[in-house]
Amino acid sequence: MTHAADLPGWAALLTAALVLVGAALALAGAIGTLRFRTFFERVHAPTLGTSWGTGSIVLASIICFSVLGSRPVVHEILIGVFITVTTPVTLMLLARAALYRDRAEGSGNVPAHPARRAGALKAEQDRAVDGGR
Amino acid sequence: MSRVLPYPVLTAALLLMWLLLTSFSPGQLLLGAIVAVAASRAMAALQPAKPRLRRWQLIPWLVGIVLLDILRSNIAVVGVILRGPRDHSAGFVAIPLDLRDETGLAVLACIVTSTPGTAWIEHDPGSGVLHIHVLDLVNEEDWVALIKNRYERLLMEIFE
Amino acid sequence: MTAADVLLWSVTIAQTMLVVAMGCYTYRLIRGPRAQDRVLCLDAIYVCAMLLVLTVGIRTGSQIYFEAALIIAVLGFVSSVALAKFLMRGEVIE
């Protein structure tokens, strides 16, 4: 860790704080997945690590290398953007898969399928029309 | 113009990414520009629906709001996790959306899911009803008002 | 204790926290109970590994780790999406 001595004090302290915050958020998310009881609660936990957890470690890396190289190094931002865009996609697909599986088994308190809900509504209306006739 | 560069924003983003991944030099700029133009024309061959940006000036404002909200809900969710699993009530919320633009819906989905504490579950394009899962559900109306007033109105201004 | 020492120690503590986080996710990965929980944990483990590689980069002051982190992020995304798709229909390619 010889390069750390080249960093000015403020940059080293800022990097240290950001790295700690990011890792703490990731750890909090991991503890969350252990403590929550249902899958839909657990879906929320990893987003701690992927939103500001990743954000602050990426920021720490940007500050560290920009000050070391005394020129702006911003390519780490690509990781931040990539994680921000891809994590919701993964989580949405997983949530839909979980919804599909729960519905297929008829278990869990999940909202009913929209087509089935609409179908039930239509059947009700048909019955009302039949009754009126 | 539109035949050479069918997706100007995509081309610019690809070129920027190329320059970030490599170091900046005139040669890399040229090579990146060639790759970006070729890739965006390949994209045009796929014929995706072209998103329309009505008021792109509002995008920085939206990004700022979202970053701040994510920060706030990070703190809230860490609080929920530390307080223990029994101390909150999670549940589904149904929100009737007026937003119909596909790009706007995709952006809303990314915002809702990347915010800790809310997750996009299902959207029915027929009725426009969106189901989200909320970790710390106190009042359903608050969440409906939050999504509709804070994000949906802004997204409708940008995309519709 | 200089600022460089503070940085060294906090990076060490952060790496420990990330490894503990990966341990928690691994426990949930093994425990389950459902397949979707396991895929969720696998995705989160990828993100933690990516963050760990970034902190190694800060520790060693080498830019090479950035590319490793980017590759881990890309592969993690692709594999999680493939697994989520598999859960939805039981087939990856329809």
Side-chain angles (χ1 to χ4, degrees):
Chain A
M1 193 118 183
T2 49
H3 68 281
D6 303 337
L7 276 175
W10 63 269
L13 291 181
L14 197 58
T15 309
L18 283 171
V19 164
L20 277 181
V21 167
L25 279 173
L27 182 58
I31 293 171
T33 44
L34 287 188
R35 297 186 85 165
F36 291 145
R37 288 211 213 81
T38 66
F39 171 77
F40 287 107
E41 283 173 316
R42 284 196 278 266
V43 156
H44 300 291
T47 49
L48 282 178
T50 57
S51 56
W52 275 104
T54 305
S56 67
I57 289 185
V58 162
L59 212 56
S61 180
I62 289 176
I63 291 172
C64 178
F65 287 114
S66 297
V67 174
L68 270 182
S70 56
R71 69 189 175 85
V73 177
V74 289
H75 60 203
E76 279 92 345
I77 240 171
L78 280 178
I79 290 186
V81 171
F82 187 78
I83 291 287
T84 325
V85 173
T86 57
T87 311
V89 176
T90 314
L91 293 185
M92 258 181 281
L93 271 175
L94 266 180
R96 290 186 54 181
L99 196 65
Y100 173 80
R101 286 165 66 102
D102 278 356
R103 275 175 188 159
E105 290 170 9
S107 65
N109 309 316
V110 292
H113 194 272
R116 200 161 302 154
R117 228 174 14 230
L121 198 69
K122 188 155 186 315
E124 215 168 89
Q125 281 166 352
D126 287 349
R127 229 173 297 136
V129 170
D130 284 345
R133 210 177 279 160
Chain B
M1 178 68 190
S2 68
R3 188 170 299 171
V4 182
L5 283 179
Y7 295 93
V9 180
L10 177 73
T11 314
L14 281 174
L15 179 58
L16 188 68
M17 187 181 140
W18 185 276
L19 291 179
L20 283 175
L21 280 174
T22 58
S23 54
F24 183 83
S25 69
Q28 293 289 1
L29 183 69
L30 186 68
L31 193 57
I34 293 170
V35 170
V37 170
S40 63
R41 295 189 65 164
M43 180 81 176
L46 292 175
Q47 298 179 327
K50 193 161 182 167
R52 292 167 306 168
L53 282 178
R54 282 287 153 80
R55 298 181 60 186
W56 56 268
Q57 305 92 324
L58 288 172
I59 291 177
W61 174 242
L62 179 72
V63 170
I65 285 183
V66 169
L67 286 181
L68 196 69
D69 281 359
I70 290 179
L71 187 63
R72 277 205 307 225
S73 57
N74 261 302
I75 297 166
V77 171
V78 168
V80 169
I81 288 171
L82 293 182
R83 278 206 310 271
R86 284 188 185 78
D87 213 31
H88 70 277
S89 55
F92 295 94
V93 180
I95 301 171
L97 284 184
D98 300 316
L99 184 68
R100 285 289 183 274
D101 184 79
E102 281 180 7
T103 320
L105 283 171
V107 174
L108 184 63
C110 279
I111 293 172
V112 167
T113 312
S114 60
T115 308
T118 53
W120 177 284
I121 302 294
E122 187 178 46
H123 174 257
D124 178 23
S127 59
V129 173
L130 161 72
H131 280 99
I132 63 171
H133 187 268
V134 178
L135 184 60
D136 200 0
L137 185 64
V138 182
N139 186 358
E140 263 187 50
E141 253 93 86
D142 288 352
W143 287 100
V144 176
L146 178 86
I147 300 285
K148 284 196 81 73
N149 297 338
R150 207 170 163 82
Y151 302 129
E152 193 194 3
R153 213 167 51 199
L154 205 54
L155 283 170
M156 281 173 86
E157 275 187 47
I158 294 175
F159 289 106
E160 287 187 354
Chain C
M1 196 153 167
T2 62
D5 290 335
V6 174
L7 181 58
L8 176 64
W9 275 104
S10 50
V11 169
T12 309
I13 294 169
Q15 286 177 333
T16 316
M17 285 200 280
L18 285 171
V19 171
V20 172
M22 284 167 82
C24 294
Y25 284 126
T26 311
Y27 177 75
R28 182 50 87 185
L29 180 84
I30 295 167
R31 272 288 303 281
R34 309 278 321 264
Q36 52 262 41
D37 294 295
R38 298 177 210 263
V39 179
L40 181 73
C41 288
L42 192 68
D43 185 52
I45 288 172
Y46 266 112
V47 173
C48 282
M50 193 270 298
L51 293 179
L52 197 60
V53 171
L54 273 184
T55 53
V56 170
I58 293 174
R59 173 186 276 262
T60 54
S62 159
Q63 298 256 15
I64 295 171
Y65 292 98
F66 158 75
E67 267 133 53
L70 198 61
I71 289 171
I72 292 178
V74 173
L75 287 183
F77 169 63
V78 173
S79 64
S80 309
V81 165
L83 282 170
K85 198 88 183 90
F86 177 75
L87 287 188
M88 200 140 28
R89 291 281 184 267
E91 296 164 35
V92 180
I93 299 163
E94 294 178 343

